[in-house]
């Protein structure tokens, strides 16, 4: 288990993403009894904690066994031998873990685990659209409920959406629910001379849609060398100005590999916190926008769900949804990492 000193070293450089920022040694010492209790329960229940890059740093550095983007965490949920998965993130990510590991107990500690994208489309919408677009391949972003995935053909994440849509053997694609990501795919394929007829749904992420190209111009005026990192949920005019476009873990890896020393991040502030901790000698200009859904997670909620999970916190899916959503998500792995055998 992590010590007060180790936790303090990790949390000290962070200036965003938690009600506790900035962290003192005393704060870290106060967190330790909760962390200790969570670690004991993890051992007792053969549980692991998968935490998305956007959740509070005291979860990421205090108790998480794995942190990452939605693709990386789904892959770990699919492969892990643990009997219980606690998933501090948002509901659709916990549901995806259950889809991929139906025999594990998946626990969602989040009291408000929505997502403006996942909440903006339901199974009825997809049934109606499938009638309207009968010859289209339906591609859903992972930010959808399991019920919606069950009605689609292939799932994608921000780390593989361009590659998978390009590879699909149908020129007619319906992409849902993120209209900005959909337009970014259209622009990307057009820039490569790939012709596909892509229809898109009308959803947006309420965090990423707020970023403007003017903000990038303003920051570049002050520092022409700044590296601009953008999530593909942003507006195409923002994406067009980026030096790098990718998933949250993609951005992290980009910083790791970059020789640059100043980065402007157009994504939720949790990622800026991780980067401040991992690369204390580099400078990060974060847009300090928080996802209220991701930030509804807390150490206390993780402890409570491990101690005494309530029925609504235990992910349950009907066998029909389970089977069809699994087909959709497994197709993503086939496209993203061809030949990767499904573990027994
Ligand atoms: P990533 O898969 O890039 O981590 O994105 C998840 C998300 O919800 C972004 O808003
Ligand atoms: Fe959903 Fe946006 Fe929050 Fe990501 S940042 S979980 S897309 S609302």
């Amino acid at each position: 288990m992590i010590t007060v000193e180790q936790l303090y070293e990790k949390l000290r450089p962070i200036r965003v993403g938690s009600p506790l920022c900035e962290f003192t040694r005393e704060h870290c010492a106060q967190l330790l009894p909760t962390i200790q209790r969570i670690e004991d329960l993890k051992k007792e229940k053969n549980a692991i904690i998968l935490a998305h890059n956007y959740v509070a740093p005291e979860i990421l550095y205090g108790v998480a066994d794995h942190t990452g983007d939605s693709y990386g965490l789904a892959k770990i949920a699919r492969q892990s031998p643990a009997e219980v998965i606690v998933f501090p993130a948002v509901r659709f990510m916990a549901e995806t873990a259950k889809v991929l590991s139906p025999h594990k107990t998946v626990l969602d500690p989040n009291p408000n685990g929505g997502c403006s994208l996942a909440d903006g489309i339901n199974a009825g919408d997809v049934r109606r659209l499938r009638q309207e677009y009968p010859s289209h391949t339906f591609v859903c972003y992972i930010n959808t409920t399991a019920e919606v995935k069950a009605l689609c053909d292939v799932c994608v994440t921000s780390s593989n959406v361009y590659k998978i849509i390009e590879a699909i053997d149908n020129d007619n694609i319906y992409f849902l629910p993120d209209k900005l990501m959909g337009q970014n795919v259209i622009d990307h394929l057009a820039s490569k001379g790939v012709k596909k007829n892509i229809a898109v749904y009308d959803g947006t992420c309420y965090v990423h849609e707020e970023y403007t190209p003017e903000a990038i111009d303003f920051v570049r005026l002050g520092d022409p060398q700044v590296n601009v990192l953008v999530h593909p949920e942003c507006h195409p005019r923002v994406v067009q100005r980026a030096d790098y476009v990718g998933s949250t873990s993609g951005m992290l890896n980009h910083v790791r590999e970059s020789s640059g020393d100043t980065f402007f991040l157009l994504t939720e502030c949790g990622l800026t916190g991780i980067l401040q901790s991992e690369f204390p000698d580099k400078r990060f200009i974060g847009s300090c926008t928080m996802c209220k859904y991701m930030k509804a997670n807390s150490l206390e909620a993780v402890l409570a769900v491990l101690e005494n999970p309530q029925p609504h916190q235990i992910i349950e899916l009907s066998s029909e949804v389970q089977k069809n959503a699994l087909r959709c998500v497994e197709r993503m792995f086939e496209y993203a990492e061809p030949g990767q055998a499904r573990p027994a």
Side-chain angles (χ1 to χ4, degrees):
M1 195 188 98
I2 198 157
T3 64
V4 173
E5 218 39 58
Q6 288 164 336
L7 188 62
Y8 180 53
E9 274 311 300
K10 283 291 181 193
L11 298 182
R12 190 169 51 145
I14 299 177
R15 291 289 173 273
V16 288
S18 163
L20 285 178
C21 289
E22 48 187 88
F23 291 90
T24 62
R25 195 176 267 107
E26 290 67 42
H27 282 141
C28 292
Q30 282 162 13
L31 296 175
L32 252 277
T34 310
I35 291 175
Q36 174 76 64
R37 182 81 188 109
I38 292 172
E39 290 297 339
D40 291 347
L41 284 165
K42 273 162 57 176
K43 281 203 196 79
E44 198 180 296
K45 303 197 172 191
N46 188 14
I48 55 164
I49 297 182
L50 307 185
H52 185 266
N53 288 329
Y54 289 162
V55 302
E58 59 271 26
I59 299 177
L60 295 170
Y61 289 112
V63 295
D65 296 284
H66 301 276
T67 62
D69 63 8
S70 50
Y71 183 80
L73 294 177
K75 221 174 128 174
I76 290 163
R78 182 177 181 248
Q79 291 166 347
S80 165
E83 288 169 68
V84 177
I85 294 174
V86 182
F87 213 138
V90 284
R91 189 75 175 189
F92 74 81
M93 292 193 194
E95 278 192 359
T96 307
K98 183 68 180 176
V99 165
L100 288 163
S101 291
H103 305 301
K104 292 171 196 162
T105 301
V106 179
L107 301 176
D108 176 8
N110 193 333
N112 182 21
C115 162
S116 59
L117 284 167
D119 297 344
I121 185 163
N122 61 32
D125 297 321
V126 185
R127 283 198 194 92
R128 178 179 49 76
L129 287 163
R130 290 217 79 136
Q131 287 189 344
E132 235 178 277
Y133 295 87
S135 61
H136 285 54
T137 296
F138 272 65
V139 180
C140 60
Y141 189 27
I142 196 166
N143 296 37
T144 45
T145 62
E147 283 194 4
V148 164
K149 288 186 180 79
L151 294 167
C152 292
D153 301 305
V154 192
C155 178
V156 295
T157 75
S158 55
S159 67
N160 53 39
V161 56
Y162 293 176
K163 169 176 155 175
I164 292 181
I165 293 188
E166 182 175 355
I168 288 172
D169 190 18
N170 184 354
D171 287 347
N172 295 320
I173 304 284
Y174 194 99
F175 179 69
L176 61 86
D178 189 341
K179 73 172 174 196
L180 300 180
M181 184 177 281
Q183 188 56 50
N184 290 324
V185 174
I186 293 169
D187 294 349
H188 174 77
L189 295 186
S191 75
K192 293 181 76 181
V194 178
K195 288 199 175 62
K196 277 192 193 275
N197 169 29
I198 303 177
V200 292
Y201 194 71
D202 193 23
T204 52
C205 161
Y206 88 102
V207 174
H208 289 88
E209 73 175 343
E210 290 300 317
Y211 301 133
T212 62
E214 289 75 21
I216 299 177
D217 294 344
F218 180 74
V219 169
R220 277 218 172 103
L221 212 59
D223 181 356
Q225 301 305 320
V226 68
N227 288 271
V228 177
L229 277 46
V230 169
H231 197 276
E233 289 170 12
C234 293
H235 194 282
R237 287 176 60 227
V238 171
V239 166
Q240 279 150 21
R241 280 170 167 73
D243 296 305
Y244 175 83
V245 183
S247 75
T248 52
S249 292
M251 289 187 227
L252 219 159
N253 291 333
H254 182 81
V255 172
R256 186 172 288 125
E257 283 159 19
S258 167
S259 56
D261 54 18
T262 308
F263 300 84
F264 182 27
L265 291 144
L266 284 294
T267 194
E268 206 265 358
C269 66
L271 191 72
T272 311
I274 297 179
L275 291 168
Q276 288 172 331
S277 177
E278 298 298 317
F279 307 99
D281 298 334
K282 294 188 189 274
R283 194 164 79 93
F284 299 100
I285 307 166
S287 59
C288 201
T289 34
M290 291 194 187
C291 171
K292 63 182 173 187
Y293 305 111
M294 288 285 189
K295 292 300 192 278
N297 288 287
S298 63
L299 276 180
E300 291 70 26
V302 170
L303 175 57
V305 84
L306 268 166
E307 271 177 339
N308 183 21
Q310 300 303 301
H312 69 278
Q313 297 177 308
I314 305 170
I315 306 286
E316 299 281 4
L317 303 170
S318 75
S319 55
E320 189 68 9
V321 166
Q322 167 67 47
K323 178 173 79 142
N324 289 318
L326 181 62
R327 172 195 41 73
C328 175
V329 181
E330 280 297 330
R331 284 203 74 196
M332 168 175 78
F333 287 110
E334 285 163 28
Y335 277 109
E337 297 182 63
Q340 204 204 242
R342 167 93 188 151

